[in-house]
């Protein structure tokens, strides 16, 4: 049976799902249960409103330690003309929370009276005196918590659909309940499929993919209040998948069938759904993630919704957010989660397919007065783009993208307070930044770094789009690092140039140096494929400078046009055999267990506009540069010289 | 031993605690453990950074279903001059995720080629053809996910101190880990003390207090990542408390000793702390909650921090937020939680003691362009003030308060998106509003209602501080309800006046009518104590009107000056014996099982400025007024006539 994958708009897909759910009676809250009122009720969703069973307080309570009295008996009392009240008939000691005696209508705090003994002297037993002397009239109901001050029996305390927080549990107990009726967590079956999958913990061979989508989905379901069951990996066999879906439908409210939702040779999901029930949607115009399947499985007289979740991890996670969360919310009777939104300016141009709702991952930071959103990798296989994301910008269907500087709405993944603590670093990449990021978390700061090369970093600083830039720009004329470039690119900004590290640049080679490479001159050889860094990278400038010195034309270097954006990915290109050699720092070679020919020593600086260098936000960063624990950690990595760390190279 | 309670500023108290913790070596993360990478890792705090063990992908992977090729072999292919590649030596079929053959460096998606058979016709086995025909040159590395595209071995994936989210678990698995090192939840002992306390579920007698503070504290601790143990209630006996504290110190990282922290006759907490260890602080200048105790208990060679938590429930919960959360955060190595803040305008004047940091609970709503913060009850015994609060305004030490309209910072308890969904109702109170609130949650709206009486509601509307007001204002001259008042108070605003319900007003009487009351004329009797409603309440106007008709002078009515703010609290005053009778609606009498003498029928309207009546925000409210389920629910309550519900009384 041919399955046709055809993308429809997200809103249409949701409508189609909703009307099928309504028809099947699955558009309302599912079952409820009554549970004891204890800490396990935290986070559960109220299935029925809480009406107060008793008032709180349920009697008139003293609000202070003091003496219960009849207010009118103090009328006329003055500082100079006190009134005495006899213990017993006229006054009685009460602690905070004690019931007011039936005859009393006010309390005087103990510190405002003089408890006296029979002899008229201060009483030896001030809480059981013979009489008290009062020097001011007391209004009725002073220092009394009247019955019902907090809650009056029968009033609404909390509505159904409310997610229980700690104080709610207190209020529910206070108005006389000892149990609560809550939504039962919807049961969600998660079925990973794919012959190429191996479970977490199995060292993967080439071609194996570590199956973690089911973990991400299960964790999402649990976070949203559902109960997840992860099934073992199912191979790409129609019968096996079909049998497992039928089994899962028996005891679950929702099935998530991960991958196989596209139209490839081993994509059976749509066919399984069609044969076991009703295929509602195959293909939704969202990016990433469009081969989504929505359907219903017949399980006896029940119908069980099934979602075919696309296999790329970013698609998987976003499908969870878009389709699973609202469904769980509805089944538990709570509102769907709504992210905090902020306005931010895009740091670069974005193009987007006009036919799709495009979910763009961004990091967000506050630089001066501006809130900025820097787009992250758009690959649907790049789960770190979600890990690093501070939020999502949805480029709606109908739009082909936005120019740089466009004001966009960001749906935040992190609280705005974390955005305020984010240091935006842009420019050249160095492994030291990872370690700096780690140290900064200990100082309540977060480092978001984007790798655009040294020159790109200076351009960003000029546009006011970063707090600092890492750079290692060799000026061929003066032999100086960075300062001439800062002069040229940031003529109008007071800037601090501070050394971070000295480091060794050289050639990455496969272990054992199979092609017998000895220096830059080998790059001319026809059998050598080089991997380059991108234009504007300091390492690219370094190569060009030394190629020039050696009289080598870049045209002669095979692979010169192949660009990587970081030392590590350039090293990875060599490690994987995609290139025979590349230029980069020793630490990267070491990290990927490559051979390394050291060629040049260079200095890597932090370029920090003064306005940021003197800010509260960056203060911890400057502290860390003086922390011996930090320099020790860096010095342990090969190819780093920490002698210069923290030295002010220039103030411009 | 005399214990002296002396309030010190919050910042001083925190400094004193911190330096004692530092001295005891308790200012850093506590123990860690390594746990398997599964859903139980969700929400845990990383105790060590995650460095990638392997790259992801860990090989070059096809990004599409298609044919692996050598890119240069397609050079020169054109639409009109295709190039053929032989299956086997020149091309090979790959599914998405398959490793690229070692000789290949690009993939052509299957939909972009023509798979042909031996005979040059379209192949019967398109994934295993004899050859493929290509009509465009393919750049190298097209449709390939290069090794390390997502993560490169050795790079930093997540820093220590990070709280694990679903996507993080995926990334950690993807870079080769199958376990994570996380902080062990700090163990917190919660010791409720008080002879007057009864556990949840025990029907309380007069003087009994339902012990729910330990539940609130335990839920807070769990929510913040700790592990809470609630001990049974300890009576107010020095030895019993001391013994329990010593026991708890053995197996816990923190002790919360609830109540007994003041300086009353049965307040032993400070003495216990002083005798078992070190009393650091007794009294902190925060409101509510100042009798806080901070100390350290000696437990062998360990020191265990102890916090004496004040007993009023609002004080308890705020003490948790101020002292316990940051301590748990530090012990787990994560950042303390920081609330989202918004700017809002106070709806009324606030006075505050200059010596204290004053934690004011507010509801927050967006009315037109303005974000408003309406102060809630300030009683430290009123836990519903925290339940209803959308956030906290801290009036800092040194300030004596703010005028109405002051722009203040609110630390939100709810996401800002919920604030956007909040309908601000102000004015007269009716039980129908509770039921309306319940129905609105089903429409993704929230009703925040403040009871200031009918006239107060109109004043708020005039100031643009509410979306609607409930009112039942009888005009003595015309006999009309509400319209003459709307004319007078809102002359410049287009307003919709819509009937909510008709209802019966009458006298609340204790069951059995012991004082033999038959009508308003009995209010003149000297043995009758009346409970009144506040100035501006419709019920107050109704009373005044009918007293005037009957020729009764308010001076003759004992208790006329005693004001309650709602029908229910007025009824509670009668139920508790604090008054002999009061005027109010039948439903309130019924709720508190009182006798009731029906006197007058009246109409209760909603007054809605047109600009809000036509808004998206209020649309669901107007829908509910037409929902038979809603009117049925109201009609079931005694004393309500739903005939008029939804009728437009006037458009002014």
């Amino acid at each position: 049976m041919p399955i046709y994958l055809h993308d429809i708009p997200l809103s249409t897909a949701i409508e189609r799902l909703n009307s099928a759910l309504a028809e099947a009676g699955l558009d309302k809250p599912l079952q409820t249960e009554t549970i004891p009122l204890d800490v396990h009720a935290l986070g559960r969703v109220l299935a029925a409103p809480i009406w107060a069973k008793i008032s709180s307080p349920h009697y008139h309570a003293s609000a202070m330690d003091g003496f219960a009295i009849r207010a009118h008996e103090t009328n006329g009392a003055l500082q100079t003309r006190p009134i005495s009240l006899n213990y017993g008939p006229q006054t009685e000691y009460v602690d905070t929370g004690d019931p007011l005696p039936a005859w009393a209508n006010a309390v005087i705090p103990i510190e405002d009276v003089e408890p006296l003994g029979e002899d008229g002297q201060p009483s030896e037993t001030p809480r059981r005196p013979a009489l008290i002397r009062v020097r001011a009239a007391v209004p009725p109901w002073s220092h009394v918590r009247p019955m019902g001050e907090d809650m009056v029996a029968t009033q609404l305390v909390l509505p159904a659909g409310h997610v229980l927080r700690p104080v709610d549990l207190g209020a529910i107990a206070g108005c006389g309940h000892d149990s609560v009726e809550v939504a039962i967590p919807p049961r969600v079956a998660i079925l990973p499929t794919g012959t190429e999958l191996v479970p977490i913990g199995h060292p993967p061979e080439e071609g194996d993919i570590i199956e973690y989508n089911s973990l991400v989905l299960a964790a999402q379901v649990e976070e949203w209040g559902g109960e997840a069951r992860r099934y073992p990996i199912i191979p790409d066999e129609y019968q096996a998948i079909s049998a497992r879906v039928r089994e899962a439908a028996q005891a679950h409210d929702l099935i998530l069938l991960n991958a196989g939702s596209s139209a490839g040779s081993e994509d059976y999901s749509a066919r399984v759904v069609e044969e076991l029930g009703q295929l509602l949607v195959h293909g939704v115009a969202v990016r990433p993630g469009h081969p989504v399947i929505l359907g219903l499985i017949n399980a006896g007289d029940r119908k069980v919704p099934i979602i075919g979740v696309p296999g790329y991890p970013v698609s998987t996670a976003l499908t969870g957010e878009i389709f699973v969360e609202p469904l769980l919310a509805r089944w538990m009777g709570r509102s769907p989660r709504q992210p905090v939104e902020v306005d931010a300016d895009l740091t670069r141009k974005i193009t987007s397919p006009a036919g799709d709702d495009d979910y763009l991952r961004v990091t967000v930071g506050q630089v001066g007065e501006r809130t900025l959103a820097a787009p992250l990798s758009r690959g649907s296989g790049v789960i770190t783009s979600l890990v690093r994301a501070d939020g999502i910008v949805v480029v709606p269907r109908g739009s082909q993208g936005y120019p740089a500087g466009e004001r966009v709405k960001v749906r935040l993944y992190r609280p705005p307070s974390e955005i305020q603590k984010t240091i935006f670093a842009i420019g050249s990449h160095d492994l030291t930044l990872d370690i700096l990021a780690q140290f900064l978390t200990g100082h309540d700061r977060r480092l978001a770094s984007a790798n655009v090369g040294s020159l790109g970093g200076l351009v960003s600083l000029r546009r006011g789009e970063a707090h600092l830039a890492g750079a290692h720009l060799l000026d061929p004329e003066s032999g100086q690092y960075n300062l001439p470039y800062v002069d040229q690119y940031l003529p109008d900004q007071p800037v601090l140039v501070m050394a971070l590290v000295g480091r060794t640049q050289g050639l990455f080679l496969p272990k054992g140096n199979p092609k017998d490479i000895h220096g830059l001159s080998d790059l001319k050889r026809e059998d050598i494929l080089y991997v380059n860094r991108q234009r504007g990278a300091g390492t690219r400038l370094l190569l060009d400078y030394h190629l020039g010195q050696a009289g080598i034309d870049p045209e002669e270097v095979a692979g010169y046009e192949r660009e990587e954006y970081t030392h590590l990915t350039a090293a990875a290109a060599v490690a994987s055999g995609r290139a025979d050699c590349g230029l980069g720092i020793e630490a990267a070679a070491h990290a990927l267990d490559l051979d390394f020919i050291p060629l040049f020593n260079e200095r890597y600086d932090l370029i920090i506009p003064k306005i940021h260098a003197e800010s509260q936000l960056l203060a911890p960063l400057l502290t860390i540069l003086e922390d011996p624990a930090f320099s020790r950690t860096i010095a342990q990595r090969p190819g780093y010289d920490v002698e210069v760390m923290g030295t002010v190279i220039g103030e411009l």
Side-chain angles (χ1 to χ4, degrees), chain A:
Chain A
M1 180 190 318
I3 299 295
Y4 189 56
L5 172 61
H6 172 68
D7 286 356
I8 60 173
L10 176 57
S11 54
T12 312
I14 289 173
E15 275 163 31
R16 211 179 279 180
L17 175 66
N18 284 349
S19 55
L21 290 175
E23 214 168 290
L26 291 171
D27 58 341
K28 347 178 202 315
L30 302 178
Q31 308 96 313
T32 70
E33 62 182 335
T34 298
I35 60 169
L37 186 61
D38 62 27
V39 287
H40 299 106
L42 184 67
R44 300 294 296 269
V45 183
L46 280 181
I50 299 288
W51 305 96
K53 278 170 79 171
I54 59 172
S55 298
S56 173
H58 55 100
Y59 56 88
H60 300 317
S62 176
M64 297 289 278
D65 294 351
F67 290 89
I69 56 160
R70 292 177 193 91
H72 69 87
E73 294 187 340
T74 64
N75 287 350
L78 291 174
Q79 189 58 34
T80 51
R81 204 177 57 193
I83 283 176
S84 292
L85 301 174
N86 291 318
Y87 198 87
Q90 290 184 294
T91 189
E92 206 174 275
Y93 178 77
V94 283
D95 274 321
T96 305
D98 281 351
L100 206 62
W103 49 262
N105 70 350
V107 170
I108 317 183
I110 189 164
E111 54 267 36
D112 294 350
V113 304
E114 296 154 42
L116 304 176
E118 301 276 343
D119 52 1
Q121 296 301 306
S123 172
E124 303 270 304
T125 54
R127 291 183 174 86
R128 181 61 186 85
L131 52 88
I132 61 171
R133 209 187 269 154
V134 180
R135 291 184 187 271
V138 176
W141 303 100
S142 303
H143 302 297
V144 172
R145 295 187 58 214
M147 174 177 160
E149 182 197 40
D150 191 356
M151 293 173 271
V152 176
T154 78
Q155 84 169 60
L156 178 73
V157 177
L158 287 165
H162 181 79
V163 181
L164 292 172
R165 306 162 302 168
V167 290
D168 300 326
L169 304 183
I172 296 170
C175 69
H177 296 268
D178 59 1
S179 62
V180 278
E181 189 184 348
V182 294
I184 292 184
R187 301 157 304 169
V188 182
I190 298 164
L191 278 55
T193 70
T195 307
E196 71 284 9
L197 301 179
V198 296
I200 293 168
H202 274 238
E205 316 250 304
E206 185 161 296
D208 289 348
I209 294 176
I210 300 172
E211 196 292 292
Y212 59 73
N213 281 344
S214 68
L215 174 58
V216 173
L217 289 169
Q220 286 183 328
V221 165
E222 299 272 340
E223 181 162 273
W224 297 329
E227 186 184 289
R229 176 167 170 204
R230 291 164 72 191
Y231 279 78
I233 294 163
I234 314 164
D236 287 320
E237 292 162 18
Y238 179 81
Q239 289 305 334
I241 297 170
S242 168
R244 193 49 67 79
V245 168
R246 266 177 285 139
E247 179 197 335
Q250 295 310 312
H252 293 90
D253 302 306
L254 174 65
I255 299 170
L256 304 180
L257 184 58
N258 190 215
S261 62
S262 191
S265 60
E266 293 173 344
D267 291 327
Y268 299 118
S269 294
R271 225 171 89 201
V272 166
V273 174
E274 205 154 46
E275 294 200 0
L276 298 181
Q278 188 184 354
L279 180 66
L280 300 166
V281 171
H282 189 192
V284 181
V286 290
R287 223 157 246 258
H290 60 117
V292 172
I293 289 168
L294 304 174
L296 293 176
I297 300 294
N298 300 321
D301 53 355
R302 292 169 62 232
K303 285 191 188 290
V304 180
I306 186 166
I307 299 178
V309 180
Y312 275 124
V314 178
S315 311
T316 297
L318 288 175
T319 300
E321 291 181 13
I322 296 170
F323 292 101
V324 180
E325 199 281 335
L327 195 52
L328 295 183
R330 177 186 303 190
W331 283 345
M332 289 188 287
R334 65 163 170 80
S335 303
R337 289 194 174 200
Q338 288 191 347
V340 178
E341 290 189 334
V342 294
D343 290 330
D345 300 343
L346 279 178
T347 57
R348 60 180 176 81
K349 179 184 170 198
I350 283 301
T351 57
S352 182
D356 292 345
D357 285 310
D358 191 4
Y359 286 66
L360 180 72
R361 285 84 76 199
V362 296
T363 54
V364 182
Q366 177 100 33
V367 179
E369 296 298 299
R370 293 175 73 198
T371 303
L372 297 167
L376 289 161
S377 163
R378 307 180 69 182
S380 52
V382 181
I383 194 168
T384 47
S385 69
L386 271 179
V387 168
R388 293 174 58 200
D390 296 317
I392 292 282
V393 174
V394 179
V395 186
R397 195 176 150 82
S399 163
Q400 296 197 305
Y402 300 123
E406 178 87 357
R407 176 75 43 96
V408 292
K409 281 235 175 297
V410 184
R411 302 178 184 177
L412 289 181
Y413 281 139
R414 298 183 213 269
S417 57
E418 285 201 39
I419 306 298
Q420 311 289 334
K421 298 187 295 192
T422 300
I423 299 173
F424 243 39
I426 197 159
S428 169
H429 177 253
D430 185 84
L431 299 179
T432 311
L433 295 180
D434 282 357
I435 298 165
L436 185 59
Q438 177 56 49
F439 272 75
L440 278 169
T441 58
H443 289 74
D444 201 26
R445 293 291 183 280
R446 209 166 55 96
L447 187 72
S449 56
N451 309 318
V452 298
S454 294
L455 275 179
L458 295 185
V459 171
S460 290
L461 288 186
R462 186 167 60 195
R463 292 204 299 242
E465 294 181 348
H467 297 110
L468 62 92
H472 57 117
L473 289 163
L474 174 61
D475 177 42
E477 316 227 323
S478 65
Q480 271 194 319
Y481 273 92
N482 295 326
L483 296 181
Y485 290 89
V486 171
D487 264 344
Q488 183 190 339
Y489 280 82
L490 301 169
D492 304 324
Q493 278 189 52
V495 165
L496 181 71
V497 179
M498 184 174 269
L500 182 61
V501 283
R503 56 185 201 173
T504 307
Q505 290 263 18
L507 286 178
F508 302 143
L509 302 173
K511 202 76 187 168
N513 193 4
K515 290 209 169 165
D516 200 32
I517 293 168
H518 295 284
L520 284 189
S521 59
D522 287 307
L523 302 192
K524 287 191 298 188
R525 283 165 51 187
E526 284 209 351
D527 65 327
I528 300 294
L529 186 63
Y530 181 75
V531 57
N532 207 350
R533 291 291 309 284
Q534 86 282 11
R535 228 171 293 245
T539 302
R540 169 81 162 248
L541 288 176
L542 192 69
L543 176 80
D544 291 347
Y545 174 72
H546 287 287
L547 288 179
Q549 297 276 348
I552 302 172
D553 184 343
E555 295 263 317
E556 297 176 81
V557 179
Y560 184 86
E561 73 292 342
R562 287 270 320 287
E563 298 182 345
E564 290 289 347
Y565 273 76
T566 74
H567 294 278
L568 277 170
T569 55
V574 176
S576 68
R578 196 146 41 94
D580 296 314
C581 69
L583 187 64
I585 58 173
E586 185 169 2
H590 185 80
L592 293 188
D593 198 23
L594 294 171
D595 276 7
F596 183 75
I597 302 175
L599 294 178
F600 323 111
N601 290 317
E602 63 166 15
R603 208 183 60 238
Y604 180 97
D605 294 335
L606 299 180
I607 319 293
I608 317 176
K610 282 264 178 77
I611 191 167
H612 302 313
E614 291 157 5
S615 69
Q616 278 286 81
L617 180 70
L618 265 71
L621 187 147
L622 301 178
T623 307
I624 290 169
L625 295 189
E626 290 169 10
D627 180 352
F630 179 64
S631 55
R632 257 200 319 274
T633 308
I634 304 294
Q636 283 160 7
R637 304 255 167 166
Y640 282 113
D641 169 13
V642 296
E643 202 55 46
V644 291
M645 185 177 287
T647 310
V648 174
I649 302 301
E651 300 193 54
L652 305 171

